Amino acid sequence: MEQKKYWKGLEELHNTDAHQEIVKNEFSEELPFESEGLLNATTPRRDFLKYLGFTTAAAAIAASCETPVKKAIPYVNKPEEITPGVANYYASSYSIDGEYVPVVVKTREGRPIKMEGNTLSSITQGATSAKVQGAVLSLYDTARLRFPSIGGTETTWAELDKQVGAALAGLGGAPVVLLSSTLLSPSTKKVIGEFLGKYPNSRHVVYDAVSYAGMLQANEASYGKRVIPSYHFENAKVIVSLAADFIGTWLNPVEYSRQFAQTRKIDAKKPEMSKHFHFESNMSLTGANADERYTHKPSETGAIALALLAAVGGSVTAPAIADKRVADGIKKAAEALKANTGKALVVSGSNDVNVQTIVNAINNIVGANGTTIDFASPSNYRQGSDSDMAKLVSDMNSGSIGAVLVYGANPAYDYFEASKFADGLKKVKVAVSFNERNDETTELCKYVAPDHHFLESWNDAEGRTGYYSFAQPTILPLFKTRAIQDTFLTWSGNTATWADYLKNEWITKLGGQEGWDKALQDGVVEPATAPALGGASFAGDVAGAAGKINSAKKGGKLELVLYEKVAIGNGKLANNPWLQEMPDPITRATWDNYACVSNTLAKTFSTQLGDDYEINAEKKVLKIKTNGKELELPLLIVPGIHPEVIAIAVGYGRGANVGRAAAGIGKNAYPLVSYNGQTFDYFTTDATVEATGAKYAIGLTQTHNSYEGRPIVKETTLEEFIHNPKEVNEDRLELKKFGPDFRKDATLYPNYSYPGIKWGMSIDLNTCFGCGACTIACQAENNVSVVGKDEVVKAHEMHWIRIDRYFSGDENNPEVVFQPMLCQHCDNAPCENVCPVGATNHSSEGINQMAYNRCIGTRYCANNCPYKVRRLNWRDWNGADSFENNLYDVADMNDNLTRMVLNPDVVVRSRGVMEKCSFCVQRLQEAKLDAKKAGHPLKDGAAKTACQQACGADAIVFGNINDKNSEIYKIRNEMQTDRLYYVLEETHVLPSISYLAKIRNKDAAPKAEKEPAHKEEAHHA
């Protein structure tokens, strides 16, 4: 096995003095002692007892304080479908901005509190993402609009209908335009069509903040269909991605990550997996998971596509590629594509029509159409037209538009010429917004008719042609909002309600009421037999596209690329505190956007790895200028970015009225987008950068914990694994020196048996892509607190499961491994024997438990935990303690409305209490009770943790390791014995969580001598 050095950040790679110092000092701030030199005092024993006496007295006072009484109001007439303490589940659909995820919504006492993927969907197969998991919190967003308004004043729906109707009637034939983001609902589109049919020359303009118009136009020119095909990564043995982040943000990543994961699972009896090449400018989530990754300037994307087409046999002249490593990568990728004709796939994240045309030509040559690309059942995920949007803005400014009705779009924020759009909107006679909050566009509209939240609504969605999902209200509307479909029906003169209209649309198609009821119960309607994949005849103008690529403007010294973050996306969900505080998978930063640069480029600004770069939250601020616009953002060094590229995330810099969590966070990067006459470009070829002299704090989380040089991650190559599958775990042979049974022979402790249930978990590093869905799912399920950026900077984040990101190799072209890390529920848990009050203990089922009301916050357990997975409540985040005026509220998380999202099965914790993963014990108890009531033993799969259920890649397996029929037992004892390992196994803490070593499908590296021990290894936790 190749011997590698893994590092979380550059300071750990170089083992700086400051890094060694922070390793010694586990907690990042000093205790608040007012007295200096306690041990140097003249009466140190007396002073010590004084402090001890204070803590004891404080605890007694807190215990004797009367907790404020909040009276519960009992049901007078209990709804028939609600049983207190028992959850109800409703099928629904998450379809925001074109993403398509059928879901099941868990409600308690009429409150939606959790969403899971719908396993009946053949498209997403029960998978979710961080955004989907976090969407339930947006229902209780305090910044949602609560009533219709005219000119900023509350009004009634009847008055709004009257005034809008009169205003539209008085347009004198001027066109009415509905401006929306991508809509997946066929029934909603029909309602819109009926409304617009009343007004001559009216039209529906679809605008996506992050556009895919280049792909749509290229497909229309290449195949005669303005559609995005369905991609089938599960059928591909070779995948080449040209900056398409299909695991993180590209089109419908929940669907693609599930498919991709199927090709990455290793069968020990027949080890094989797909080969993934990735070419990009910045470090994306998909690039981080690639087998072979290459960096280039964004202006070189077209040349790389052309070179790849030439290498697979296309009739084009290959342009010169100056970077030899990239040129060699193109050659290797082409050879792999040709060797797997019919089982290959090339995808591109470019919005350039010409680049997408070349990609279509490559897929045509390698036999992708009809095998890994399906045009018979195309997807509907993005429908926007950049040219239509540009024309609309021009027409608005010329005064030729009578009315603009905005639904789900926010061009006053995310259009590249937002000020031009705003000026044009002022020249429109009637401006109506249906958006759910007072966003940047809604502020400019006279009439505001807020739509319901999707969890309050009826709807349907067609994510892929012929594949439907449904949404139904999971709660009555919280505010005086109204479904946009009801609004359009009213304005069209149709007296039907939207619920009846939708039912009537489907009841005939489904064969009656019984079919409709089943559709709502299942949440999906799909073909009984999946239709055969269909190809399409390619007729693209390759020569024309090649000519335009070759004549494109060459890049300057520095180039800039814009990207979406996995959690925040295009910014629509920016006011979600859960998503803001989720560490970005690549940078591990929270609550901000920033200018990502390489260490090489950072040195030109007199910033480089030093004793305090990643240890100190304060980062230098850069002024970035391009296309006549400028932006000031803090610098963040990210290994793996091209040395002449700056990467900035969109979705930040929101207005003050959008909500407390989003307002003032980061800077808006959308003004740096440009328009090339056909489509929007999300990169610029000539940027200048200078240091401003200012500094700005960034809440980074990756370096908050250290393993002090101990081996944590294991990986090998597919070639090495096939040759010698036991080599990846050869270090475990050293455990044999303690005796034949390491568990029993290597300890002074007695060996406790678990005759009944013994819970355990397995995490496959090969299919953990680092997306963060598990982190947000855990937060939603277990009422994990939001602490805010200032507290994250102090290393006070509260997530029970974190995803550590490790780099290895060259800092300019590193490989990346993601490793979920949570409480390991050790059978010899070092936390348990140091707790002075027995607050942490071990259950008969192998769970490391926390008795919150016994914990006094000594933090001995956290200091003694080698995995650093325990979290102290440094403040009262939830209003759970007995002291007045002690609440530290962040982003309105303790508003009475927001608190409706809390899971009543999990207690909220108070200040000074330690907490950590519980294996979702409330779910385990529920599963056991259900099995007991049903009169049978607990079945494998009946109990699932939140992280396991949310994982889109199926990387987490959980169950009873004593059940020989369980999947977890088979993984550990039959299926994956060669890859299985335990983190820090040599310490004999006996963790209940095992990992499966990562395997890359790349050439085996030459053997290297083992790395000498770090200097920091002298320091112990």
Side-chain angles (χ1 to χ4, degrees), residues 353-364:
V353 177
N354 302 307
V355 173
Q356 291 291 351
T357 300
I358 298 300
V359 169
N360 288 343
I362 298 171
N363 280 320
N364 184 59

Side-chain angles (χ1 to χ4, degrees), residues 635-908:
L635 169 157
L636 193 65
I637 299 175
V638 180
I641 290 184
H642 190 279
E644 297 175 11
V645 170
I646 303 162
I648 301 174
V650 298
Y652 290 82
R654 301 301 306 275
N657 292 328
V658 172
R660 185 177 168 190
I665 300 295
K667 298 290 182 66
N668 184 8
Y670 280 112
L672 305 183
V673 177
S674 59
Y675 181 58
N676 61 26
Q678 282 187 300
T679 57
F680 301 137
D681 286 330
Y682 296 93
F683 69 94
T684 63
T685 58
D686 193 6
T688 61
V689 182
E690 62 184 41
T692 64
K695 288 192 174 183
Y696 183 86
I698 298 178
L700 289 169
T701 64
Q702 179 70 8
T703 56
H704 287 174
N705 309 282
S706 174
Y707 295 104
E708 305 187 32
R710 301 182 181 101
I712 301 297
V713 174
K714 291 186 179 182
E715 70 171 308
T716 186
T717 66
L718 182 62
E719 178 184 340
E720 290 173 318
F721 186 74
I722 293 173
H723 176 69
N724 183 5
K726 298 187 181 300
E727 186 178 20
V728 70
N729 262 329
E730 61 183 3
D731 60 326
R732 296 189 76 193
L733 296 176
E734 297 181 11
L735 304 179
K736 297 293 184 182
K737 66 184 180 182
F738 296 101
D741 189 337
F742 177 69
R743 181 185 182 93
K744 296 179 179 179
D745 299 334
T747 180
L748 297 175
Y749 287 113
N751 182 47
Y752 291 98
S753 60
Y754 298 87
I757 294 175
K758 173 65 167 71
W759 298 111
M761 179 179 285
S762 173
I763 301 176
D764 189 350
L765 299 186
N766 232 41
T767 51
C768 174
F769 302 139
C771 70
C774 57
T775 300
I776 304 303
C778 173
Q779 188 156 23
E781 174 69 25
N782 294 295
N783 301 333
V784 175
S785 301
V786 173
V787 303
K789 174 184 167 181
D790 291 344
E791 295 296 314
V792 172
V793 168
K794 297 176 183 177
H796 292 173
E797 65 272 11
M798 297 298 296
H799 293 131
W800 285 9
I801 178 172
R802 68 177 190 267
I803 303 181
D804 289 339
R805 170 226 62 207
Y806 293 94
F807 294 116
S808 63
D810 179 10
E811 69 179 57
N812 294 315
N813 293 288
E815 291 180 338
V816 184
V817 180
F818 296 102
Q819 184 182 54
M821 184 54 62
L822 60 160
C823 175
Q824 303 289 291
H825 295 273
C826 308
D827 287 343
N828 279 347
C831 56
E832 294 173 11
N833 55 17
V834 296
C835 180
V837 292
T840 180
N841 55 74
H842 219 64
S843 80
S844 61
E845 296 177 352
I847 296 178
N848 178 253
Q849 301 177 134
M850 275 297 305
Y852 297 129
N853 62 338
R854 298 194 68 175
C855 179
I856 59 174
T858 63
R859 300 178 297 172
Y860 296 161
C861 56
N863 192 55
N864 218 38
C865 172
Y867 305 100
K868 305 308 170 196
V869 289
R870 289 179 159 263
R871 302 285 184 246
L872 178 73
N873 286 269
W874 290 87
R875 293 177 180 269
D876 178 19
W877 316 114
N878 303 294
D881 67 19
S882 303
F883 293 102
E884 293 185 5
N885 304 318
N886 201 30
L887 177 65
Y888 187 88
D889 191 11
V890 176
D892 294 324
M893 286 301 295
N894 280 283
D895 187 273
N896 286 336
L897 174 66
T898 313
R899 289 176 69 90
M900 289 176 70
V901 81
L902 293 176
N903 183 356
D905 289 334
V906 181
V907 66
V908 292

